[in-house]
Amino acid sequence: MNSGPATDPENLEFRNIRMSKTPAILWFRNDLRIEDNPALFAARESGHPVIPVFILDDNIEHAPGGANRWWLHHSLASLASDLEKAGVKLILRRGDSKKVLHGLVDETQASQVFWNRRYHNSQIEIDKALKSELTDHGVSVETFNGNLLREPWEVKTGSGGSYRVYTPFWKSLRAMGPARNEPLPRIRKINSPDAAPKSDKLTSWRLLPSKPDWASEFPTEWTPGEQGARDRLNDFLNEPVAHYSDGRNRPDFDYTSKLSPHLAFGEISPTKIWHVTQDRIASGEITQSSAEKFLSEIAWREFSYNLLFYNHQMPTTPLRSEFANYPWRNDEQALVAWQKGQTGYPIIDAGMRQLWRTGWMHNRVRMIVASFLIKDMLINWQDGAEWFWDTLVDADLANNSASWQWVAGCGADAAPYFRIFNPVTQGEKFDPNGDYVRKYVPELAKMPAKYIHAPWKAPQEILEKANVSLGKNYQKPFLDHSQARQRALDGYAKIRQN
Ligand code: FAD
């Protein structure tokens, strides 16, 4: 940074000159959209030419995993195209985000910087430091809530504290509603500077996998970008939402919105989702009860962000301290079998293979596979969270760590530790015909529904008819659930004694 502090009168003069001629920088992070984007809206309203920038910083804590990077590539391509239509070029830079941003301010003589806030300590520290350094040098910095219905510090308990239990949190948030009474409009025209600063080429970042291209099936499943997010919301509200409250636990149907990756990258805001849903209720197109259930799930996301904001250690440390001493097993071979979907429990294997093939897994199955890893296999939840982080297109630090802690029983408002999912009865209940298993575990495609969730119980003639040879073309279950369950409960008893 070259200029002196803003409090210096000479410098104020310099700042005024700067203000009249210089551009505003809009720093995109996890808000890759041009509709209902408060930071972009304010940058445009400033009347200054706008330089939109995205910085790829690989040296941060919790840098994006592989599937996230695939999504990021396509999302940036889509954002760049939308911005180009509005008249500006998206600038791509790589490196330490503080250095890069300082460099860009110097290079362009920008007088203002705008961004939407982030909520993990590691991000907040970067943003706070930048804000104070830039302000000291006469650059104005304005920050906004772009990604939550309400800021974590706005949703308070009666005594002014933060919520640790979901139901009263949702009640309070429900009563407040979103901070914006309506979404901000889509930006159609943005003033650009006379000359755009240099930008990296997106392809030079090599965000896409090549050898092997493990994401080859992703494009049939997903359309990253703002238009894809809008279409996904409309499609969901046109039909599946009617089945949502009863059917959202059924992985064999497409009854959930699949908006999670779009939300994780900020291609659509929860505020927009909230208002579009309420408008559909008001016009009588959808019923209040199914829509309310959907909005209450959006509120789980808000709750996770609240927990992350007030518990920065959540991604790495159990919120209930007694779990720090849980006797986890270190079993690399078992972990790999779980990752590859080769445990011999069909619902687990289907879920893990859905994750690998599509970058996403149904919520009910996420709970079952997580419970299996933690409680049946006795492997630390953090190993599971890490695998999800690398393989989910919707990997989201708040949702992922809050959900893993919830299943493990060590988080705030967590499921009790002794609730241990039985993978066979869960499969029978939520995939009663076995269609979900058949889709992702083709070895079992011909198994009748009665035995598909426990093929080892099937008579030999049924196995033969279905071309299943246990131990040869499909694994035998690699542990016994009832024994494993007891082992988990014994481990829990130990930490409770301590
Ligand atoms: P819908 O049912 O249509 O819900 C709409 C939106 O509400 C979702 O897109 C999501 O943003 C939010 N939401 C729904 N359920 C939850 C929930 N339980 N917790 C928080 N937010 C929720 N979600 C992620 O976005 N990223 C993750 O990294 C992630 N990791 C998870 C790990 C585990 C072990 C578990 C059990 C759940 C995890 N979830 C995560 C939560 C949930 O599984 C996904 O948000 C959901 O499956 C996404 O599908 P959808 O968009 O169709 O959800």
Side-chain angles (χ1 to χ4, degrees), residues 11 31 88 188 195 226 300-301 324 328 385 397 406 441:
N11 197 261
D31 50 354
V88 281
R188 304 211 176 265
E226 202 170 348
W300 268 106
R301 174 180 179 273
W328 302 114
L397 196 58
W406 186 86
V441 186

Side-chain angles (χ1 to χ4, degrees), residues 236 244 248 255-261 263-264 273 294-302 304 360-371 385 388-389 392-407:
F236 173 69
Y244 188 76
R248 55 179 288 276
Y255 285 160
T256 69
S257 70
K258 290 194 172 170
L259 278 165
S260 50
L263 275 162
I273 294 175
F294 172 57
L295 292 178
S296 74
E297 293 302 320
I298 298 286
W300 268 106
R301 174 180 179 273
E302 299 272 321
S304 302
W360 185 88
M361 193 195 300
H362 188 278
N363 180 59
R364 167 58 51 178
V365 190
R366 290 188 204 202
M367 293 195 286
I368 304 171
V369 301
S371 171
F388 270 33
W389 185 253
L392 277 172
V393 285
D394 66 25
D396 174 292
L397 196 58
N399 278 357
N400 199 40
S401 34
S403 300
W404 275 96
Q405 293 226 18
W406 186 86
V407 177

